Amino acid sequence: MAYRPDFVERYVIDKIVFGILSPTEIRAMSRVTVITPELYAPDGTPIQGGLRDPAFGAIEGGERCPVCGNTRLECPGHFGRIDLARPVVHPGFAPKIASLLQATCRACGRVKIPPERAKYLLAILRRLRDRWPKLADNLVKEIEKEAASRMECPHCGARQYRIRFTRPYYFYEERPEGSVRLTPIEIRERLERIPDEDAELLGVNPKRARPEWMVLTVLPVPPVSVRPSIVLETAQRAEDDLTHALSEIVRINERLKKSLIQNSPESIIEQQWELLQNAVAAYIDNELPNMLQLVHKRRRPLKTLAQRLRGKEGRFRGNLSGKRVNFSARTVISPDPYISINEVGVPYEVAMTLTVPIMVTPENIEFARRLVLNGPNKWPGAVHVYKAREGIKLDLRFRQNLKQVAESLEPGDIVERHLMNGDIVLFNRQPSLHRMSILGHIVRVMPGKTFRLNLLVCPPYNADFDGDEMNLHVPRSPEAIAEARELLLVQKHILTPRYGGPIIGGRQDYVSGAYLLTVKTRVFTKEEASRLLAIAGYRGELPEPAILKPRPLWTGKQLVSLFLPEDFHFKGRAKINAGDLSCDSIECFHDSFVVVRFGKLLEGVLDKKAIGAEEPENILHMLALEYGHEKARDFLDRVFRMFIRMLELRGLSISLGDLEIPEEAKKKIKEVLDKARERVLELIEEYRKGTLEPIPGRSLEESLELKIIEVLSNARDEAGRIAISYLDPFNDVFIMAKTGARGSDVNITQMAASLGQQTVRGRRISRGFRTRTLPHFKPGDLSPEARGFVRGNFRDGLRPTEVFFHAAGGREGLVDTAVKTSQSGYMQRRLINALQDLVVTNDGTVRDAYGNIIQFRYGEDGTDPMLSYHGKPVDIDRAIEYVRSAKQASG
Amino acid sequence: MPKRPGKVSRKILQHELVPEHRLLSLEEAAEVLRRLGVKPWQLPQISVNDPVARLLKAKPGDIIEIRRRSPTAGEAIFYRIVVPQ
Ligand SMILES: [Mg+2]
Ligand SMILES: [Zn+2]
Ligand SMILES: [Zn+2]
Ligand SMILES: [Zn+2]
């Protein structure tokens, strides 16, 4: 606690060696032998020789340690011990004990390998240890296997038997007269007989551990600081689980001791010995299989040593890989299209809780004084002041005379001020699956209780606003702040290294808006054009109008072009370039091929392919790659606002009317579905009669199902086609589907025509009752409607049985996502653990933390995927296009 | 211990999935290590019992150069140190 570097000698950790504590060491470090399970005397003082003996170290304030004489701040705590009445197996070493017993002679203890060969192997092993420790381990396994297979000792000729090991700590020897259990005493005797060199051959470093130490004769008891008790409100003491477990061990140990002294019958002793073994094993790991768990009164299993380390909240994952931190905030996020993508809206309340330290200088002393005068409750103010000269920290929350503090400020003092506009913070949404899950944002303090986020930054976080919460962290040191600004700022992550394209960009309404702004049919009056340009912050002149008479009119393409660099060229298909509108030439009549020349959007509509997020090789990608992230950010902050404003001016909404089809169409759809149904019934009839032609490699039943599914799937598609052909192809539903903003032909089909076949595990729904899906149908009914074919659509509504089938199919989707996320989360953790310290070095090689080479050139071609064209290091076609244009420009 | 299975057919070298392996001379090996600035054990490994390593009569400590087709770079060169097994 009181860490005083002045008095502490400092050492650098050079290496860590693991070994096993010997009984001698355990006794030497022990300051007390625990001989009673009682903790406190009736008067509340700790009992001598109990688990709270004062010799375990000082923990109470004012208490002096009887061992080292320190108070609780300096006393490191001291170990004690329990002298076990009989030895027990350490469960963590049980598998190793099994292989040691099997590999050595039961009579002489030598490893069952001829002396000459043993010597030779030991030489190899020692050489391998230095260079390829992994290979050394493999060799040990081979040696174990070889030695275990020998049924006669090459040293003394004794006959050997197979050792059977049953988890967690039982060992049996398969003798001809039958299987005999080996007691820990016998095991320990055998392990004692193994010579050092033979132990080494079997992977036990004799300098650090002896095989027999794997069987415990004395148990170290950790100091109380490792297992502190807590005082409840009722003034009762509650002991740590470790103390409970240890006290159970002591109780059984003392009982066993007594039985031994009294020469009790062997069966009683065996039973108590077994209990001791179980308690010690549970103390080390209370989740061993086939073992009695140590439990509390309320039947809650105790958390013993292994449980402290293991699992999500264990020492490793809970306290070392991830920790709780200060200077962070968490709240719900909500959208704000009018802040920059680089910004984050922070509520006043949060801004007045999080602080940044600033050093007072002659230059900023007036500013610092104003902050202090505002105090902790008025933004922008200050919460703490460190007076450098006096070496004290003032908490302004408990200090009234702010004026006096402000006046006393002098250069060198440090003011902990509120979070202010322009500060940089780290913003994060879990699950943090890639590096863009934590980005640097510039603070913008605003009213409200939520963090505000530009919608264009939703894709990298995978965020939406249905209640998502996000975390915010304040970097405080100049180094951390500089690092966040230079490396983490949002605009520096418009492009992702994941697939070499932009991950930031428009979704949903941005896509519809971009389309509506740039369609051929849309022209703007001067007033309308001015409105759109105003929201984008455009300050220049209007270009020449595209149409002069009867009144000047501008196209949306003209407006967008104002924000493109003059030497920018681009060619590419639009998203709407499909089906009827597909076209691959620059002379596209459908406006579905985007052409930008010399910074002018000449033709083609902007939609998902041009401005969408996660669409490599779009306009945004080329801007970011070739004009830098500053230009790309500017484009995102200005033009995308225009898209939204366009949508607000025109309005975008869908209703039942957009999906209404005439009676004639409904009749046609009915005919199609009826015909399909008849065909299916025919197939079933053929199947029943046995005349159905089976598909090669399939059974008759499978063939029938496949054929039915095909007929019904075709029918659904045909119904969809009919419905779509009667709908207005320029209504808002279609605009969203075609531009890629939201929905697809399938969704439209499901709304207007028919939901089609519902499936579970890729098959028609067939389970539920014994021979039918629902009681509405006859047993064995294979007809479409009895097996999950939904004729109805969302517009007209579903029948009760159809609702049921749709829910059955829908549930599968939910289960799938739940299973997939947990599985991919686990895979992600393992991948990160395996790859986290790989680094691309200056010579282009990929190496791990030890300098081992993983790749001789990163990705084999050394390309940074973030700066690539969708993975390609160069876009040859684009380069050629640019050379051509340059020629053209120069005449 | 390390078991040496039967003969390896030279035909495996013709297989399309077996890239070109070449045993480096002592000088070449030293040059590779110098260029990369690594100790031999920091290279990726290949077992002496690897079929191709056996055909090349490689011994532990040798370095094998492997040229393989690469979807990104056209051809990529790898080095592997032969390790006992
Ligand atoms: Mg959500
Ligand atoms: Zn002490
Ligand atoms: Zn022997
Ligand atoms: Zn066309």
Side-chain angles (χ1 to χ4, degrees):
Chain A
M1 264 227 232
Y3 174 65
R4 291 197 254 156
D6 314 3
F7 306 132
V8 177
E9 264 187 88
R10 292 183 182 215
Y11 295 97
V12 174
I13 294 175
D14 178 54
K15 58 179 176 183
I16 298 175
V17 183
F18 291 98
I20 307 177
L21 280 179
S22 71
T24 324
E25 282 173 291
I26 295 171
R27 293 210 168 86
M29 72 181 187
S30 149
R31 297 303 151 110
V32 53
T33 304
V34 184
I35 44 161
T36 166
E38 306 301 322
L39 303 174
Y40 304 99
D43 64 352
T45 55
I47 290 181
Q48 295 267 326
L51 285 162
R52 306 233 35 131
D53 190 295
F56 280 114
I59 41 156
E60 229 103 351
E63 185 187 0
R64 284 240 165 235
C65 173
V67 175
C68 63
N70 287 309
T71 63
R72 68 162 175 180
L73 294 181
E74 282 86 18
C75 170
H78 311 279
F79 272 85
R81 70 168 187 266
I82 298 170
D83 286 308
L84 298 174
R86 286 224 162 151
V88 295
V89 171
H90 185 304
F93 293 119
K96 186 68 194 174
I97 291 174
S99 60
L100 284 172
L101 290 178
Q102 190 70 81
T104 55
C105 170
R106 60 191 298 270
C108 71
R110 300 294 309 270
V111 65
K112 292 184 286 180
I113 286 178
E116 278 308 306
R117 181 160 168 73
K119 220 158 128 195
Y120 161 76
L121 288 173
L122 189 58
I124 297 183
L125 185 68
R126 284 185 176 154
R127 254 183 296 142
L128 282 180
R129 274 275 173 239
D130 308 333
R131 297 221 171 153
W132 289 297
K134 187 76 194 291
L135 289 178
D137 292 343
N138 289 344
L139 181 58
V140 167
K141 276 198 199 97
E142 292 292 333
I143 295 171
E144 275 172 357
K145 225 185 283 168
E146 185 186 333
S149 66
R150 215 157 263 139
M151 296 320 270
E152 194 186 294
C153 175
H155 303 275
C156 70
R159 172 117 177 71
Q160 306 295 320
Y161 305 112
R162 241 183 52 76
I163 303 286
R164 188 158 55 82
F165 166 53
T166 315
R167 278 174 198 285
Y169 41 67
Y170 298 111
F171 298 89
Y172 303 90
E173 197 170 46
E174 309 280 9
R175 295 189 198 152
E177 67 265 28
S179 171
V180 180
R181 168 142 188 235
L182 297 179
T183 65
I185 294 180
E186 290 166 294
I187 294 167
R188 196 162 198 279
E189 277 166 6
R190 288 195 187 188
L191 297 175
E192 273 168 1
R193 284 199 291 268
I194 302 175
D196 276 359
E197 301 86 74
D198 290 5
E200 188 175 354
L201 213 45
L202 296 171
V204 181
N205 179 355
K207 288 196 205 83
R208 309 282 171 203
R210 278 289 315 167
E212 66 269 20
W213 300 345
M214 297 178 186
V215 179
L216 299 166
T217 51
V218 53
L219 188 70
V221 177
V224 268
S225 44
V226 172
R227 42 186 181 90
S229 63
I230 42 170
V231 181
L232 302 173
E233 304 103 83
T234 53
Q236 273 180 318
R237 274 180 176 277
E239 296 297 328
D240 189 275
D241 278 7
L242 278 192
T243 308
H244 283 301
L246 285 164
S247 129
E248 184 65 20
I249 293 173
V250 177
R251 189 169 298 123
I252 298 167
N253 193 44
E254 291 306 314
R255 221 181 297 150
L256 179 55
K257 257 192 219 166
K258 210 190 272 168
S259 305
L260 286 169
I261 293 166
Q262 292 168 347
N263 258 327
S264 302
E266 194 54 35
S267 66
I268 302 258
I269 289 178
E270 295 249 306
Q271 199 185 341
Q272 289 173 342
W273 189 5
E274 173 68 28
L275 280 176
L276 183 68
Q277 168 71 75
N278 184 83
V280 171
Y283 164 69
I284 290 159
D285 183 350
N286 206 11
E287 280 166 15
L288 286 169
N290 306 321
M291 199 198 68
L292 273 179
Q293 282 196 324
L294 285 183
V295 291
H296 256 264
K297 287 155 222 144
R298 289 285 179 88
R299 281 200 288 173
R300 179 180 65 81
L302 293 181
K303 270 200 151 129
T304 54
L305 289 172
Q307 279 65 53
R308 285 195 178 191
L309 310 178
R310 255 189 225 145
K312 197 169 179 179
E313 299 191 343
R315 207 85 326 142
F316 293 105
R317 280 177 73 186
N319 303 113
L320 292 163
S321 303
K323 308 185 178 72
R324 296 177 167 268
V325 292
N326 292 127
F327 305 104
S328 60
R330 179 185 175 96
T331 182
V332 177
I333 52 168
S334 44
D336 188 342
Y338 298 119
I339 62 174
S340 166
I341 58 165
N342 276 340
E343 290 180 312
V344 60
V346 178
Y348 280 102
E349 215 175 311
V350 171
M352 294 198 298
T353 310
L354 299 175
T355 59
V356 186
I358 53 165
M359 170 82 70
V360 177
T361 62
E363 287 72 32
N364 71 7
I365 192 159
E366 282 314 314
F367 169 66
R369 288 207 166 108
R370 279 201 302 280
L371 294 177
V372 172
L373 271 178
N374 276 342
N377 301 319
K378 188 174 165 202
W379 187 86
V383 180
H384 298 284
V385 173
Y386 294 93
K387 301 292 294 169
R389 204 195 295 260
E390 294 89 335
I392 53 166
K393 176 180 155 191
L394 305 177
D395 191 334
L396 302 182
R397 283 171 302 182
F398 309 114
R399 194 157 175 119
Q400 304 303 316
N401 47 353
L402 297 171
K403 224 170 179 176
Q404 191 206 322
V405 179
E407 267 155 29
S408 78
L409 277 189
E410 55 187 346
D413 290 346
I414 291 169
V415 175
E416 290 268 0
R417 50 147 249 252
H418 287 154
L419 204 57
M420 286 172 69
N421 289 344
D423 285 337
I424 189 147
V425 290
L426 308 191
F427 204 39
N428 164 234
R429 179 182 177 276
Q430 283 108 349
S432 311
L433 294 175
H434 54 195
R435 75 179 197 203
M436 287 79 70
S437 291
I438 304 179
L439 294 174
H441 288 250
I442 305 292
V443 168
R444 185 133 149 200
V445 182
M446 47 175 67
K449 302 239 177 233
T450 57
F451 288 136
R452 250 53 63 80
L453 185 64
N454 188 301
L455 291 108
L456 298 174
V457 220
C458 288
Y461 292 122
N462 193 21
D464 51 35
F465 303 102
D466 60 4
D468 292 26
E469 293 182 66
M470 284 180 72
N471 305 323
L472 182 146
H473 300 262
V474 186
R476 290 161 50 83
S477 69
E479 294 95 322
I481 291 170
E483 194 168 280
R485 283 192 193 280
E486 295 306 316
L487 300 176
L488 262 47
L489 195 64
V490 174
Q491 69 178 47
K492 305 195 180 195
H493 295 269
I494 293 170
L495 302 179
T496 165
R498 242 177 52 198
Y499 45 79
I503 192 165
I504 287 175
R507 269 182 178 175
Q508 305 201 9
D509 277 3
Y510 281 105
V511 175
S512 317
Y515 170 81
L516 292 172
L517 184 73
T518 51
V519 269
K520 251 182 193 171
T521 48
R522 180 140 277 112
V523 284
F524 302 103
T525 62
K526 186 168 184 184
E527 196 202 326
E528 289 166 333
S530 305
R531 263 202 215 180
L532 286 164
L533 290 173
I535 197 72
Y538 182 71
R539 292 276 175 276
E541 294 288 316
L542 274 178
E544 279 295 301
I547 296 167
L548 291 170
K549 296 279 179 177
R551 57 204 166 114
L553 292 170
W554 285 264
T555 64
K557 291 191 174 76
Q558 280 186 295
L559 304 187
V560 171
S561 302
L562 291 174
F563 299 90
L564 292 168
E566 264 168 32
D567 53 354
F568 181 71
H569 309 288
F570 180 85
K571 260 187 207 168
R573 291 161 160 220
K575 175 83 181 178
I576 62 163
N577 196 331
D580 296 343
L581 302 178
S582 68
C583 190
D584 246 334
S585 106
I586 52 170
E587 277 128 46
C588 177
F589 174 74
H590 320 284
D591 216 19
S592 65
F593 197 80
V594 180
V595 180
V596 178
R597 294 201 44 84
F598 295 100
K600 298 275 175 286
L601 177 56
L602 298 179
E603 56 179 292
V605 293
L606 298 187
D607 58 19
K608 192 172 170 209
K609 279 264 174 70
I611 59 111
E614 297 176 286
E615 287 285 339
E617 297 183 299
N618 66 13
I619 289 184
L620 213 56
H621 187 183
M622 298 308 145
L623 276 178
L625 211 48
E626 292 160 7
Y627 295 85
H629 47 78
E630 185 63 32
K631 174 68 205 171
R633 195 225 80 232
D634 185 70
F635 192 79
L636 286 163
D637 277 346
R638 292 165 177 275
V639 182
F640 280 63
R641 270 187 216 174
M642 231 159 49
F643 299 155
I644 292 291
R645 180 50 52 93
M646 176 65 237
L647 213 69
E648 289 166 355
L649 293 176
R650 176 190 174 273
L652 185 91
S653 172
I654 64 170
S655 69
L656 288 179
D658 288 323
L659 300 160
E660 197 170 69
I661 51 173
E663 278 307 314
E664 179 195 343
K666 282 187 182 166
K667 225 161 87 193
K668 274 195 193 170
I669 290 174
K670 186 176 178 317
E671 273 165 29
V672 168
L673 296 180
D674 283 344
K675 217 151 98 216
R677 179 170 189 274
E678 257 160 57
R679 176 70 194 126
V680 169
L681 295 181
E682 264 171 50
L683 284 171
I684 294 169
E685 196 45 43
E686 281 172 40
Y687 163 73
R688 294 236 156 95
K689 281 206 295 250
T691 57
L692 185 79
E693 194 72 40
I695 298 168
R698 302 284 183 163
S699 73
L700 212 53
E701 289 76 19
E702 286 171 336
S703 305
L704 175 67
E705 282 298 312
L706 283 172
K707 285 181 178 178
I708 291 175
I709 285 176
E710 195 197 336
V711 169
L712 293 177
S713 157
N714 289 340
R716 204 268 310 259
D717 293 347
E718 180 56 26
R721 263 194 297 280
I722 293 167
I724 286 171
S725 72
Y726 279 92
L727 290 172
D728 170 10
F730 289 102
N731 74 32
D732 290 356
V733 175
F734 276 90
I735 287 178
M736 288 193 285
K738 274 191 305 203
T739 58
R742 198 78 222 236
S744 64
D745 277 1
V746 176
N747 297 121
I748 295 176
T749 302
Q750 290 202 336
M751 290 189 284
S754 162
L755 246 56
Q757 181 66 50
Q758 303 299 304
T759 57
V760 170
R761 297 217 191 148
R763 309 207 162 165
R764 297 203 299 159
I765 291 168
S766 60
R767 303 206 316 175
F769 295 83
R770 200 141 40 110
T771 51
R772 50 186 167 171
T773 52
L774 284 172
H776 305 61
F777 306 107
K778 295 210 173 91
D781 190 349
L782 292 177
S783 67
E785 62 275 12
R787 287 296 160 102
F789 185 79
V790 179
R791 279 183 86 118
N793 59 56
F794 286 132
R795 203 195 100 97
D796 296 327
L798 309 184
R799 292 149 167 263
T801 54
E802 292 181 334
V803 170
F804 178 82
F805 291 133
H806 184 232
R811 163 174 288 198
E812 194 190 22
L814 295 185
V815 171
D816 275 2
T817 39
V819 170
K820 257 187 221 134
T821 45
S822 70
Q823 280 178 354
S824 62
Y826 183 46
M827 192 181 82
Q828 170 98 2
R829 276 177 42 72
R830 294 174 40 154
L831 277 174
I832 287 175
N833 275 330
L835 301 177
Q836 60 185 353
D837 51 23
L838 302 193
V839 58
V840 183
T841 50
N842 286 327
D843 64 356
T845 58
V846 180
R847 304 194 186 206
D848 68 10
Y850 307 100
N852 296 324
I853 292 184
I854 309 297
Q855 275 187 348
F856 288 87
R857 200 153 154 64
Y858 172 68
E860 295 181 352
D861 63 352
T863 300
D864 178 355
M866 188 176 179
L867 301 179
S868 69
Y869 293 82
H870 202 179
K872 299 188 296 284
V874 278
D875 183 339
I876 293 285
D877 294 338
R878 193 166 165 78
I880 294 170
E881 185 73 25
Y882 260 71
V883 174
R884 266 206 204 116
S885 304
K887 235 187 201 159
Q888 198 183 324
S890 61
Chain B
M1 226 238 334
K3 32 187 167 137
R4 292 234 167 198
K7 259 186 86 181
V8 182
S9 164
R10 293 206 76 83
K11 277 200 265 178
I12 61 166
L13 298 178
Q14 258 70 65
H15 194 278
E16 122 170 300
L17 293 178
V18 178
E20 183 191 330
H21 289 58
R22 189 169 71 85
L23 198 60
L24 294 188
S25 69
L26 207 58
E27 297 76 50
E28 287 173 308
E31 167 58 19
V32 164
L33 293 178
R34 196 198 56 73
R35 197 177 75 229
L36 294 165
V38 292
K39 298 279 184 244
W41 60 84
Q42 293 178 309
L43 290 176
Q45 300 164 0
I46 184 170
S47 164
V48 265
N49 289 331
D50 179 278
V52 181
R54 285 172 60 190
L55 286 176
L56 293 177
K57 304 218 173 7
K59 293 178 300 301
D62 287 343
I63 293 177
I64 293 179
E65 179 191 84
I66 303 166
R67 295 172 167 270
R68 45 193 192 206
R69 279 170 295 154
S70 157
T72 53
E75 186 182 70
I77 301 179
F78 261 67
Y79 300 97
R80 287 180 179 278
I81 178 113
V82 180
V83 295
Q85 165 64 55

